[in-house]
Amino acid sequence: MLIILAAAAHFSVITTWKSKTTHPLHRNPGTSPGHPIGGERSYSDTETEGEIFNSLVQYFGDNLGRKVKAMPLVEETTLLEDSSVTLPVVVIGNGPSGICLSYMLSGYRPYLSSEAIHPNTILHSKLEEARHLSIVDQDLEYLSEGLEGRSSNPVAVLFDTLLHPDADFGYDYPSVLHWKLEQHHYIPHLVLGKGPPGGAWHNMEGSMLTISFGNWMELPGLKFKDWVSSKRRNLKGDRVMPEEIARYYKHYVKVMGLQKNFRENTYITSVSRLYRDQDDDDRPDRNISTRHLQIEKSQFIKRNWEIRGYQRVADGSHVPFCLFAENVALATGTLDSPAHLEIEGEDFPFVFHSMPEFGAAINKGKLSGKVDPVLIVGSGLSAADAVLCAYNNNIPVIHVFRRRVTDPSLIFKQLPKKLYPEYHKVYHMMCTQLYSVDSNLLSDYTSFPEHHVLSFKSDMKCILQSISGLKNIFKLSAAVVLIGSHPNLSFLKEQGCYLGHNSSQPITCKGNPVEIDAYTYECIKEANLFALGPLVGDNFVRFLKGGALGITRCLATRQKKKHLFVERGGGDGIA
């Protein structure tokens, strides 16, 4: 009977969120555990506890479901202290990666549209073979075979070409997919984020244009152009501002009915395994002995993960919480911690590590009237934004970067000039306004390719060194270091480094992403832990959706196997 109690507990933790009993992620200021709260969290009018129960029965299996239905619900505050409270999935991060994953876990399924013809004839032929099945239920490896794109993850390339066929060739073909909400596929989950849905997009510099087309930023089921056209009259081009993207993502969660899965103002402090099997390195679909089956039968709801953290409430206080989950999905992005040069003097107050810091200094007039240049370090788009910001405010720039200006991997090489004239203006200056030992700094901008910063000094000077070893000292008004960023995975053991391709280095989007199974997005070095988005190298929104597809297919497949296991238990179900 132990397992039935566990399932009943699992069921009640979902349904009692509608009640006025306090949940650890729902407490209002001034309430204590176990006391009613003023503003109850209710579901949409079309959603009932019965419908949610049906989806849970689908998750656990009909035999187990009949026994759950017959049992009374237990008070949620009791369950919080009960070791049987376990969620199937907890998603950490509520940016576009987490939102898209929640969309698919909620039962939305993509099908090949009846009138659609994909321009890739081989792929279209494969899609026709199983037109009656959703993409989630098809063989992703088979469909991905032979496809090429700007992501190293095959499922990301597959899903992108289904949503935006031949986009890299400049075409604007419509998606070949249409979406259906199949509520029986709902997998209970929570999405935890520090701010509102949209993640880091709410913190980006509002005046900067996004690098991608607006329709590449959209999520399944809601065309960005349709949404933005209702918000502003004049649409100039396809590029938009980050603040519009942030509002779109927040609206998306609401209009798709996903709010019940999202918790804002949550900060994760610890994600740890509760136990490890001897054969923990094996995958759940391994061949297991009859004895092991009996063990898994007695531990039907596996408490693989414990997630601890706190929620910041309106009065500024922190309310701790503890959740248990079978699976955890990392969707944190990589913008949490700006990368540092790790050199002497980098912590001086005149050295900034983000565009908002630099922009704030300019807006406050701290750099106005300065004759000394601003040092900008980096060769990516953030550094280019800083150059433009300084240039447009008549602040002279020293631009330092390690690469050659002819390096084919520079991002500017990948951007069409007509679509991104401002970035190509920066690249043109990088190539033509070079520093020479025979001349002084140029009045507006001077480029220092193949240079690096040795140190910053307290008198606001910096020492630069060229690839040949030549050193130069310059007086600065400020310095802006924009050389990338790292995700904050401090809640994982070893800061999450052990999950990367190189376990001795921090996780980064380009240099050391999380090592995953190419088709399930499950971490190679940690079962039941998944990662998607920038953590696995997909830094563009158009490609991170593939992670949601891979994870959803993996969990849905395991769910079906779980149903078969329950049904084959015989008799009246699990006892």
Side-chain angles (χ1 to χ4, degrees):
M1 201 63 181
L2 172 63
I3 295 177
I4 297 171
L5 285 169
H10 190 155
F11 171 53
S12 61
V13 80
I14 302 295
T15 57
T16 53
W17 286 343
K18 188 174 181 180
S19 74
K20 292 187 178 181
T21 306
T22 304
H23 187 275
L25 299 183
H26 287 170
R27 272 176 223 146
N28 284 346
T31 62
S32 59
H35 288 76
I37 61 176
E40 68 181 85
R41 174 73 173 92
S42 56
Y43 295 103
S44 62
D45 295 338
T46 58
E47 195 167 41
T48 65
E49 285 191 3
E51 289 172 334
I52 298 170
F53 168 76
N54 289 338
S55 65
L56 283 165
V57 168
Q58 189 71 25
Y59 183 82
F60 292 119
D62 292 337
N63 291 330
L64 184 57
R66 284 194 293 271
K67 295 202 173 188
V68 173
K69 193 172 183 179
M71 296 191 64
L73 297 181
V74 187
E75 282 296 308
E76 190 178 1
T77 48
T78 305
L79 290 175
L80 292 175
E81 300 174 1
D82 190 306
S83 61
S84 62
V85 180
T86 306
L87 285 163
V89 186
V90 168
V91 182
I92 300 176
N94 65 354
S97 297
I99 295 172
C100 191
L101 180 55
S102 177
Y103 177 78
M104 298 192 72
L105 292 177
S106 296
Y108 287 93
R109 291 292 183 265
Y111 288 84
L112 181 65
S113 297
S114 57
E115 70 284 358
I117 300 178
H118 197 282
N120 183 321
T121 55
I122 296 176
L123 176 59
H124 186 76
S125 176
K126 292 179 180 179
L127 294 168
E128 286 284 3
E129 293 172 7
R131 176 181 282 276
H132 62 290
L133 294 177
S134 79
I135 304 300
V136 173
D137 296 315
Q138 297 187 42
D139 185 340
L140 299 183
E141 183 172 2
Y142 172 63
L143 293 178
S144 303
E145 187 180 10
L147 298 178
E148 296 181 354
R150 289 165 54 191
S151 171
S152 60
N153 296 311
V155 177
V157 174
L158 167 66
F159 210 24
D160 179 64
T161 195
L162 295 176
L163 294 168
H164 307 288
D166 283 355
D168 286 333
F169 297 106
Y171 297 106
D172 189 21
Y173 294 137
S175 170
V176 298
L177 302 177
H178 73 280
W179 293 81
K180 296 180 181 178
L181 176 57
E182 299 175 344
Q183 293 184 339
H184 59 284
H185 286 313
Y186 174 76
I187 297 178
H189 63 282
L190 276 182
V191 183
L192 308 179
K194 295 176 183 177
W201 285 95
H202 291 279
N203 304 322
M204 291 186 183
E205 193 73 11
S207 62
M208 300 296 171
L209 291 173
T210 64
I211 193 62
S212 294
F213 290 123
N215 62 336
W216 288 359
M217 312 300 292
E218 69 190 18
L219 298 179
L222 179 62
K223 289 186 176 297
F224 181 81
K225 285 184 178 179
D226 294 344
W227 177 84
V228 78
S229 63
S230 68
K231 303 298 178 184
R232 56 180 169 127
R233 296 178 182 176
N234 190 15
L235 291 175
K236 292 183 179 179
D238 289 318
R239 292 169 62 202
V240 292
M241 292 185 292
E243 58 195 31
E244 290 179 300
I245 298 293
R247 290 198 300 269
Y248 166 79
Y249 291 144
K250 188 174 181 179
H251 177 75
Y252 182 92
V253 169
K254 181 179 180 181
V255 76
M256 293 299 173
L258 308 179
Q259 306 102 305
K260 65 179 180 293
N261 305 316
F262 282 72
R263 302 295 178 270
E264 300 178 16
N265 302 314
T266 58
Y267 296 79
I268 310 300
T269 56
S270 166
V271 175
S272 57
R273 272 210 181 275
L274 291 177
Y275 70 89
R276 294 179 181 275
D277 294 334
Q278 290 181 350
D279 52 357
D280 186 54
D281 290 334
D282 293 338
R283 287 294 179 261
D285 57 354
R286 63 189 183 275
N287 293 322
I288 50 181
S289 64
T290 303
R291 181 176 176 275
H292 204 129
L293 277 173
Q294 295 300 320
I295 295 173
E296 293 217 340
K297 192 174 179 179
S298 67
Q299 297 176 344
F300 187 69
I301 298 178
K302 294 180 67 175
R303 295 174 301 147
N304 291 326
W305 298 100
E306 178 190 77
I307 301 100
R308 290 185 177 272
Y310 62 88
Q311 184 175 33
R312 191 174 61 194
V313 293
D315 64 358
S317 61
H318 295 171
V319 180
F321 64 83
C322 178
L323 299 171
F324 299 106
E326 294 179 63
N327 303 281
V328 169
L330 302 175
T332 61
T334 59
L335 296 177
D336 291 311
S337 304
H340 285 230
L341 297 168
E342 306 296 344
I343 60 173
E344 176 191 347
E346 195 173 3
D347 56 350
F348 285 131
F350 66 88
V351 181
F352 305 122
H353 291 86
S354 72
M355 269 302 299
E357 285 181 303
F358 182 46
I362 291 177
N363 292 335
K364 292 177 181 177
K366 292 182 178 181
L367 302 178
S368 60
K370 298 282 187 179
V371 294
D372 295 321
V374 166
L375 171 70
I376 296 174
V377 184
S379 59
L381 295 176
S382 295
D385 284 336
V387 169
L388 290 168
C389 188
Y391 188 87
N392 293 334
N393 284 277
N394 299 313
I395 301 171
V397 171
I398 293 175
H399 189 187
V400 173
F401 46 98
R402 290 179 176 270
R403 298 183 184 182
R404 305 185 316 275
V405 292
T406 55
D407 190 324
S409 64
L410 285 174
I411 185 65
F412 309 100
K413 299 276 192 178
Q414 304 172 34
L415 304 178
K417 289 183 180 181
K418 290 184 178 180
L419 296 177
Y420 304 98
E422 71 282 22
Y423 288 128
H424 278 276
K425 176 182 178 180
V426 173
Y427 181 54
H428 179 73
M429 292 192 298
M430 289 168 64
C431 295
T432 60
Q433 297 184 214
L434 303 172
Y435 175 74
S436 169
V437 293
D438 300 325
S439 63
N440 295 323
L441 295 177
L442 301 176
S443 60
D444 55 356
Y445 172 95
T446 309
S447 174
F448 286 77
E450 298 184 276
H451 279 69
H452 65 277
V453 185
L454 282 181
S455 64
F456 296 103
K457 301 301 180 182
S458 59
D459 58 358
M460 300 184 71
K461 290 181 179 178
C462 72
I463 302 176
L464 306 182
Q465 183 172 342
S466 71
I467 194 171
S468 64
L470 183 65
K471 297 179 182 178
N472 289 284
I473 300 176
F474 296 101
K475 183 78 164 62
L476 308 173
S477 61
V480 193
V481 179
L482 299 168
I483 56 172
S485 59
H486 303 305
N488 181 2
L489 299 177
S490 59
F491 49 82
L492 293 172
K493 72 174 184 178
E494 301 176 17
Q495 309 286 310
C497 292
Y498 77 105
L499 298 173
H501 288 262
N502 184 346
S503 59
S504 64
Q505 297 294 322
I507 298 296
T508 60
C509 175
K510 293 182 179 179
N512 190 36
V514 173
E515 188 177 8
I516 56 168
D517 180 280
Y519 300 99
T520 67
Y521 284 74
E522 187 171 25
C523 295
I524 295 295
K525 297 165 185 172
E526 196 73 90
N528 304 105
L529 182 65
F530 299 81
L532 71 162
L535 289 175
V536 300
D538 287 329
N539 214 17
F540 292 102
V541 173
R542 55 182 285 208
F543 292 117
L544 59 79
K545 305 164 199 173
L549 172 61
I551 294 172
T552 301
R553 169 166 169 70
C554 177
L555 294 177
T557 301
R558 292 180 185 176
Q559 177 179 319
K560 290 178 183 178
K561 291 182 179 180
K562 188 179 292 186
H563 289 172
L564 290 174
F565 177 78
V566 173
E567 291 168 1
R568 290 172 182 173
D572 199 24
I574 296 178

